[in-house]
Amino acid sequence: MRIEDYALIGDMQSAALVGRDGSIDWLCLPRFDSPACFAALLGTDRNGHWWLGPTGRRPADRRSYREGTLILESEWDTPTGTVRIIDFMPPRDKNPDVVRIVEGVSGTVEMSTQLRVRFDYGRIVPWVRRTDGHLQAIGGPDSIWLHSPIPLKGGDYAHVATFHVKAGERIPFVYTWHPSHEPMPRQISAEKQLDETEAMWADWVAKCTYQGPYREAVVRSLITLKALTYEPTGGIVAAPTTSVPEDIGGVRNWDYRFCWLRDATMTLDALIGNGYTEEAQAWRMWLLRAIAGRPQDLQIMYGVGGERRLPEMELGWLAGYEDSRPVRIGNGAVDQLQLDVYGEVMNCLYLSRTSGLAADDRAWAIQREMLDYVEEHWDEPDEGLWEVRGPRRHFTHSKVMCWVAMDRAIKQVERFGRPGPVDRWRAVRDQIHAEICDKGYDAARNTFTQSYGSSELDASLLLIPIVGFLPPDDPMVTGTVEAIERELMSDDFVLRYPVAEDNAVDGLPGGEGAFLACSFWLVQVMAMQGRREEAVTLFERLLSLRNDVGLLAEEYDPRYARLVGNFPQAFSHVPLIEAARALSR
């Protein structure tokens, strides 16, 4: 299936992708970054999946989330009746559960299911046994139980069943993971968990303060961001998947199941701006634990528990999504220098204070150490926002975010009375600003450029007015926006930067789609410049790219008119929210 044919369910510790045909093709347990037990998304059904639907396996006629929740309902109309499947993951007690309830809507429908458990990303065929009528699969450290009144029969290294559901009947299936050395976990009530899960989401959504014209899109994006939060620690993953390609059939396949400081801070900005301060408090504590130590050891990403080692490796036994190889786990970019993250972290911590979070002396002490590092290293080249695998450069956006780091520290002193050498910080801030306007700006073309001395453009330059480096009506900004609209758009969508085989900056072969975040940034800038009609037109076109349940991947590829990249992607839903807020002001 296409990536837009999937929907997300999750429990704020892990997540699953449910296909339009009723097949769960991706599930990692017990954490987002754990080895998958269903990996058909990146291979075939034989790499693990759980299909449930009317006999014959075809796409649902319609599906949607229950309003304001992450509870998925899919319906099929058949010649003999209509059936609904309710899919969700309840908030976790001890062990993670996937609950599927088959509900007869009208008539009588013949249903089928196939369960093929494959631990360790589709590699380990488990030992399966039946105990007291329940199915158990064991492989190494992993064990799952399937509880249901419908008995499944084994064959061809899978378990299958065919049954009938009548109007008014509800048949539950509960899939529970636990460590294989522990006894069978307590069995949950599917119906009770459904009620509690719906109530939990309703309570959470009720806190949303956004009341503008795009509330449906904003609330769905906020729910998606909440689903990407790892509740035990407060960490936030960029996406729940790995190796969904940016270029179909290509090599741009990365593991996004980690906590990028950049993505997490942008996510927190969106949550804070819509009334969610508890998540900000939890993330601040996660951050302080994760980055504890020397500021020069700060990483751009961490594991959901704050882990620092995220070694990248390739899984040769998986064919890849639509033959896009290699399939990677871990992420080698963890060792890159990306100076912009200091600005993003400082900005988020400043916004946390303005939203009402109490002062934290430890947090401020760490921020001061980070500022010392920025003061000493802001003028060095780095790999930049896009994590290029070419040589380091003096990326303009990285320098702008170093300016943001100093600026937000100064604001904390001025607004909240925090101690610090504010005069020295002001001098450094002014020095960075002057250098960017001198070396990062091409006066002949009237535009900022991707890096010092470069002629290339970069969509990250759209953030210059958004972060307050220059006002939106400044001639240098308007010239840059005009250049991006003229030279960096494909089918009316903004590209990150020019991608070509001879592009030494990128360091990778092949093309890619349009990063959706970049087009949402353009919407924000248009709104700030008073170009409301153009901004609304572009924003509503971007909204039309969401799939039928309101989710976005990392990119949209105009060549194939489809979503590409890891899914769903926080880095797409965050600027959607910010663009909606900009249009509502």
Side-chain angles (χ1 to χ4, degrees):
M1 289 179 290
R2 290 191 169 199
I3 192 64
E4 49 263 54
D5 289 326
Y6 287 99
L8 176 79
I9 59 174
D11 64 357
M12 282 74 74
Q13 295 191 42
S14 186
L17 293 187
V18 185
R20 193 187 295 270
D21 65 348
S23 181
I24 298 179
D25 289 345
W26 183 254
L27 175 63
C28 301
L29 294 174
R31 304 194 334 176
F32 290 107
D33 56 352
S34 297
C37 55
F38 298 146
L41 176 72
L42 302 178
T44 70
D45 286 352
R46 291 189 172 273
N47 295 119
H49 80 130
W50 180 13
W51 170 65
L52 177 63
T55 301
R57 191 168 180 177
R58 64 175 179 83
D61 293 285
R62 55 196 165 273
R63 64 177 182 169
S64 63
Y65 288 113
R66 288 191 179 182
E67 184 177 359
T69 76
L70 204 62
I71 299 169
L72 180 68
E73 295 186 330
S74 307
E75 292 187 0
W76 287 260
D77 297 324
T78 76
T80 61
T82 297
V83 65
R84 177 184 300 126
I85 296 179
I86 304 167
D87 289 313
F88 67 99
M89 294 178 69
R92 195 177 301 187
D93 180 14
K94 179 180 179 183
N95 302 104
D97 302 287
V98 177
V99 179
R100 317 192 75 178
I101 299 174
V102 179
E103 179 183 10
V105 177
S106 66
T108 300
V109 180
E110 182 179 275
M111 302 290 290
S112 296
T113 187
Q114 182 183 71
L115 175 67
R116 197 184 297 270
V117 180
R118 292 292 182 272
F119 296 122
D120 195 22
Y121 301 103
R123 188 179 66 169
I124 295 177
V125 179
W127 169 49
V128 182
R129 64 178 180 178
R130 194 178 306 278
T131 302
D132 297 329
H134 305 292
L135 209 62
Q136 182 188 23
I138 299 175
D142 301 296
S143 175
I144 68 94
W145 290 83
L146 182 68
H147 305 286
S148 176
I150 302 298
L152 276 67
K153 181 174 67 175
D156 191 27
Y157 298 101
H159 282 74
V160 300
T162 299
F163 58 98
H164 291 82
V165 60
K166 299 177 182 178
E169 275 191 295
R170 292 166 71 95
I171 302 173
F173 294 79
V174 178
Y175 178 100
T176 304
W177 178 95
H178 71 109
S180 60
H181 64 276
E182 294 183 358
M184 182 178 77
R186 178 180 61 87
Q187 187 175 345
I188 66 170
S189 164
E191 297 290 351
K192 180 181 178 182
Q193 290 299 317
L194 175 61
D195 292 341
E196 292 181 358
T197 301
E198 185 168 17
M200 181 276 295
W201 281 112
D203 289 344
W204 191 81
V205 167
K207 300 175 184 176
C208 177
T209 57
Y210 177 83
Q211 299 296 334
Y214 300 106
R215 181 173 170 82
E216 178 275 326
V218 169
V219 168
R220 178 50 51 198
S221 291
L222 287 168
I223 290 172
T224 303
L225 297 179
K226 175 65 172 175
L228 299 180
T229 301
Y230 186 67
E231 194 170 54
T233 65
I236 302 171
V237 298
T241 57
T242 179
S243 300
V244 181
E246 298 171 9
D247 181 29
I248 300 296
V251 302
R252 297 170 183 264
N253 316 318
W254 315 110
D255 193 346
Y256 277 16
R257 299 171 300 152
F258 306 114
C259 301
W260 269 257
L261 293 186
R262 177 188 307 108
D263 297 49
T265 55
M266 290 181 174
T267 298
L268 260 296
D269 291 350
L271 289 169
I272 290 170
N274 289 278
Y276 294 100
T277 55
E278 289 183 13
E279 287 77 8
Q281 174 67 29
W283 182 82
R284 186 170 72 175
M285 295 308 299
W286 173 87
L287 175 71
L288 297 179
R289 293 190 300 268
I291 69 175
R294 302 181 304 169
Q296 60 263 41
D297 296 330
L298 181 76
Q299 296 183 179
I300 65 167
M301 72 180 87
Y302 298 85
V304 293
E307 298 86 357
R308 299 192 177 205
R309 290 191 180 134
L310 310 173
E312 184 175 300
M313 64 179 292
E314 299 177 2
L315 306 184
W317 62 87
L318 290 174
Y321 180 87
E322 295 192 17
D323 296 321
S324 302
R325 297 184 182 90
V327 171
R328 296 181 175 95
I329 59 172
N331 200 304
V334 68
D335 297 320
Q336 289 188 351
L337 173 64
Q338 297 177 21
L339 292 169
D340 65 293
V341 299
Y342 293 91
E344 273 117 18
V345 169
M346 291 296 298
N347 183 61
C348 185
L349 291 173
Y350 171 69
L351 290 177
S352 297
R353 289 299 317 280
T354 63
S355 69
L357 252 64
D360 186 302
D361 291 340
R362 180 171 167 234
W364 181 243
I366 290 177
Q367 289 175 79
R368 290 193 57 173
E369 290 183 6
M370 290 170 57
L371 288 168
D372 290 342
Y373 182 82
V374 172
E375 189 173 351
E376 293 179 13
H377 298 277
W378 69 266
D379 56 352
E380 296 178 4
D382 70 343
E383 277 89 1
L385 165 72
W386 304 123
E387 299 177 358
V388 297
R389 301 211 170 190
R392 288 181 176 179
R393 281 173 163 73
H394 291 281
F395 288 105
T396 302
H397 172 261
S398 295
K399 308 301 185 189
V400 168
M401 295 311 295
C402 288
W403 176 91
V404 169
M406 307 307 296
D407 181 73
R408 300 317 188 254
I410 294 165
K411 283 181 167 58
Q412 291 231 38
V413 173
E414 294 173 341
R415 181 166 178 176
F416 301 113
R418 305 302 285 171
V422 68
D423 290 336
R424 193 179 81 217
W425 290 346
R426 288 192 184 105
V428 175
R429 180 183 64 177
D430 294 345
Q431 182 184 0
I432 297 172
H433 197 283
E435 181 178 290
I436 293 169
C437 292
D438 177 34
K439 296 182 179 180
Y441 181 73
D442 184 340
R445 296 169 61 209
N446 189 28
T447 181
F448 285 99
T449 59
Q450 183 182 56
S451 60
Y452 290 178
S454 167
S455 62
E456 303 287 0
L457 295 174
D458 193 300
S460 64
L461 301 171
L462 292 168
L463 293 170
I464 286 175
I466 293 174
V467 300
F469 182 82
L470 285 173
D473 59 353
D474 186 282
M476 299 171 80
V477 171
T478 58
T480 301
V481 175
E482 289 170 1
I484 288 173
E485 291 184 78
R486 184 174 61 248
E487 303 177 28
L488 209 56
M489 297 190 75
S490 174
D491 194 28
D492 296 330
F493 299 111
V494 183
L495 303 176
R496 290 191 298 174
Y497 48 79
V499 175
E501 292 292 342
D502 60 350
N503 186 345
V505 176
D506 188 278
L508 291 167
E512 65 178 17
F515 261 63
L516 294 171
C518 303
S519 296
F520 283 118
W521 293 339
L522 180 58
V523 171
Q524 284 182 260
V525 174
M526 285 176 168
M528 295 171 72
Q529 293 179 332
R531 301 163 58 189
R532 180 175 175 79
E533 187 174 339
E534 294 173 84
V536 168
T537 298
L538 177 56
F539 184 67
E540 292 184 351
R541 184 171 183 196
L542 289 165
L543 289 185
S544 73
L545 301 182
R546 298 179 302 155
N547 73 355
D548 58 316
V549 291
L551 302 181
L552 288 170
E554 184 175 34
E555 303 177 22
Y556 174 77
D557 197 327
R559 297 173 297 176
Y560 311 116
R562 60 182 298 187
L563 296 174
V564 292
N566 282 304
F567 177 87
Q569 171 66 244
F571 205 48
S572 296
H573 285 278
V574 167
L576 181 160
I577 295 167
E578 298 299 344
R581 294 179 66 209
L583 291 173
S584 301
R585 294 190 183 106

